[in-house]
């Protein structure tokens, strides 16, 4: 059985004395033959620890044979995992929640970033929509079964508009901006970088968001069988993420330059988002509560069928615990 250790396991990044590691010094002396591992990584700044790790070849330096498989959004990444196309995937806790109603073998290994303003509800100012209540009878572009949908419904609930009639138009994340600009929908619930791109390319965009209403987490997922088979490799992957985040913390400007170039986005855009991100490895009761809350919302909204999954079985802190309690800390 997977157990949550204590109140929660949180890895706080630190530097001992005057020693600041350089990623190029990372090494693994195990000599163990590498296993080909595929990780579906969402093409978003939320995935920065993976982007930085790939840039400095940190996985290879721990004798990991990693293939990063790009995907657009956590839904697509999770589907690649559940279709056995990859071994690991990155996704928000909302995606984990939805998929747990369908699959009983999802293992959430760690959260690696949190953000309180990554989601936004945007509309065109010329549409005469000035508040969430003005969306009555309108079309709203949403990424189905994702943080996009949970955030939108959270806004409805916060404005006491849960029962308001409107049309949900489900689209892939990369199609939402175009749908709004071309008039196919009246508003969109989007995550970054799509929100920034929309707001920076058109002066007609109005932000209907409410900061702090939803705390997004991005997480590393696998399946039970994979975790059991690749237990040693899982620990090594988390160790790489740990060191990648430490380097990002000590070198924020350089990290932003690397990520902006990898994602082909303006540096100003990434700097605008960066302050909203808290990068750290963690897993605990706050995440558990968030999953339980969202699952009850999904049932009440008739988005899923069945009872609330036992998310204590989904959270799997074993590998992270091993990293935290490792006596040898070397980058």
């Amino acid at each position: 059985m997977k157990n949550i250790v204590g109140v929660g396991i949180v890895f706080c990044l630190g530097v001992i004395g005057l020693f600041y590691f350089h990623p190029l010094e990372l090494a693994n002396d195990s000599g163990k033959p590498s296993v080909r591992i595929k990780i579906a990584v969402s093409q978003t700044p939320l995935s920065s620890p993976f982007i930085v790790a790939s840039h400095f070849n940190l996985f290879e330096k721990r004798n990991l044979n990693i293939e990063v498989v790009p995907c657009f959004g956590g839904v697509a990444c999770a589907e690649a995992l559940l279709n056995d196309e990859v071994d690991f995937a990155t996704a928000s806790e909302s995606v984990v929640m939805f998929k747990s109603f369908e699959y009983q073998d999802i293992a959430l290994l760690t959260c690696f970033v949190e953000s309180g303003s990554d989601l936004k509800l945007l509309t065109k100012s010329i549409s005469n929509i000035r508040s969430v209540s003005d969306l009555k009878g309108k079309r709203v572009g949403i990424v189905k079964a994702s943080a996009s949908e949970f955030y939108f419904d959270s806004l409805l609930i916060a404005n006491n508009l849960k029962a308001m009639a409107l049309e949900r138009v489900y689209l892939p994340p990369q199609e939402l901006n175009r749908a709004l600009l071309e008039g196919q929908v009246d508003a969109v619930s989007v995550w970054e970088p799509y929100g920034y791109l929309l707001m920076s390319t058109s002066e007609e965009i109005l932000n209907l968001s409410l900061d702090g209403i939803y705390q997004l987490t991005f997480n590393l997922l696998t399946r039970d069988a994979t975790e059991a088979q690749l237990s040693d490799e899982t620990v090594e992957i988390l160790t790489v993420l740990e060191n990648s985040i430490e380097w990002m913390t000590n070198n924020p400007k350089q990290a932003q330059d690397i990520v902006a170039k990898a994602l082909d986005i303006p540096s100003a855009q990434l700097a605008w988002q960066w302050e909203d991100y808290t990068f750290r490895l963690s897993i605990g009761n706050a995440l558990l509560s968030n999953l339980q809350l969202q699952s009850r919302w999904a049932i009440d909204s008739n988005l899923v069928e069945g009872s609330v999954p036992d998310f204590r079985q989904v959270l799997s802190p074993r590998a992270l615990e091993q990293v935290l309690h490792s006596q040898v800390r070397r980058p």
Side-chain angles (χ1 to χ4, degrees):
M1 171 181 289
K2 303 170 185 174
N3 295 312
I4 302 174
V5 180
V7 175
I9 301 174
V10 177
F11 177 72
C12 297
L13 303 172
V15 180
I16 300 176
L18 298 177
F19 176 75
Y20 290 84
F21 95 96
H22 189 283
L24 298 181
E25 299 171 351
L26 187 78
N28 177 21
D29 299 326
S30 67
K32 182 180 178 181
S34 60
V35 178
R36 184 67 165 175
I37 298 172
K38 293 183 178 182
I39 306 178
V41 177
S42 182
Q43 299 303 285
T44 165
L46 292 167
S47 300
S48 292
F50 284 94
I51 296 171
V52 169
S54 296
H55 177 82
F56 287 112
N57 299 318
L58 302 191
F59 293 114
E60 290 83 348
K61 289 169 183 178
R62 293 203 72 87
N63 203 31
L64 292 166
N65 186 357
I66 299 293
E67 177 184 348
V68 172
V69 180
C71 51
F72 293 96
V75 175
C77 291
E79 288 178 350
L81 173 67
L82 298 170
N83 289 332
D84 296 321
E85 299 169 6
V86 298
D87 304 293
F88 298 86
T90 62
S92 71
E93 83 292 332
S94 297
V95 175
V96 174
M97 180 275 295
F98 276 113
K99 295 303 182 183
S100 294
F101 280 90
E102 304 176 52
Y103 300 86
Q104 285 73 51
D105 64 340
I106 296 175
L108 192 158
L109 302 170
T110 186
C111 161
F112 54 84
V113 63
E114 303 171 33
S115 173
S117 58
D118 195 71
L119 273 291
K120 294 176 176 64
L121 181 65
L122 304 176
T123 186
K124 291 194 293 185
S125 57
I126 60 174
S127 64
N128 294 321
I129 297 173
R130 296 293 180 269
S131 67
V132 177
S133 61
D134 293 331
L135 292 174
K136 182 177 181 180
K138 304 296 185 180
R139 299 159 298 172
V140 181
I142 294 171
V143 182
K144 186 177 179 62
S146 72
S148 165
E149 187 155 27
F150 178 71
Y151 177 70
F152 177 66
D153 274 2
S154 296
L155 284 176
L156 292 181
I157 294 172
N159 287 276
N160 197 29
L161 297 170
K162 183 179 180 181
M164 184 174 66
L166 52 84
E167 180 183 352
R168 295 170 188 251
V169 181
Y170 292 119
L171 295 168
Q174 62 270 27
E175 294 183 13
L176 288 173
N177 287 5
R178 179 178 57 82
L180 178 62
L181 293 174
E182 294 181 357
Q184 299 173 20
V185 297
D186 301 294
V188 291
S189 178
V190 295
W191 51 67
E192 297 300 345
Y194 300 109
Y196 177 89
L197 293 174
L198 193 56
M199 297 173 70
S200 61
T201 56
S202 175
E203 296 180 354
E204 302 176 348
I205 301 302
L206 180 66
N207 189 352
L208 303 177
S209 306
L210 181 61
D211 287 344
I213 196 172
Y214 165 55
Q215 187 75 7
L216 171 76
T217 68
F218 227 53
N219 312 278
L220 181 63
L221 319 177
T222 188
R223 306 184 79 171
D224 288 343
T226 302
E227 183 182 12
Q229 182 180 3
L230 300 176
S231 58
D232 292 340
E233 289 78 8
T234 298
V235 172
E236 294 296 324
I237 290 171
L238 295 191
T239 300
V240 168
L241 291 181
E242 167 190 337
N243 285 280
S244 180
I245 290 173
E246 181 177 348
W247 187 85
M248 290 164 53
T249 301
N250 295 327
N251 304 274
K253 181 58 171 66
Q254 297 94 314
Q256 291 176 48
D257 291 342
I258 292 169
V259 173
K261 183 177 181 180
L263 297 179
D264 192 23
I265 59 178
S267 297
Q269 170 188 332
L270 187 57
W272 182 74
Q273 301 171 229
W274 198 263
E275 294 301 318
D276 293 329
Y277 296 153
T278 301
F279 292 103
R280 63 177 180 176
L281 299 186
S282 64
I283 191 170
N285 284 348
L287 182 56
L288 174 63
S289 298
N290 199 359
L291 288 166
Q292 292 172 333
L293 172 64
Q294 292 191 35
S295 64
R296 288 191 288 270
W297 155 78
I299 292 174
D300 293 342
S301 301
N302 296 317
L303 296 174
V304 295
E305 295 181 354
S307 56
V308 175
D310 185 355
F311 290 108
R312 293 171 299 177
Q313 300 291 325
V314 175
L315 302 188
S316 183
R318 289 189 296 268
L320 180 58
E321 182 182 19
Q322 187 170 339
V323 172
L324 294 176
H325 286 81
S326 175
Q327 294 181 355
V328 179
R329 293 286 186 168
R330 56 180 180 179

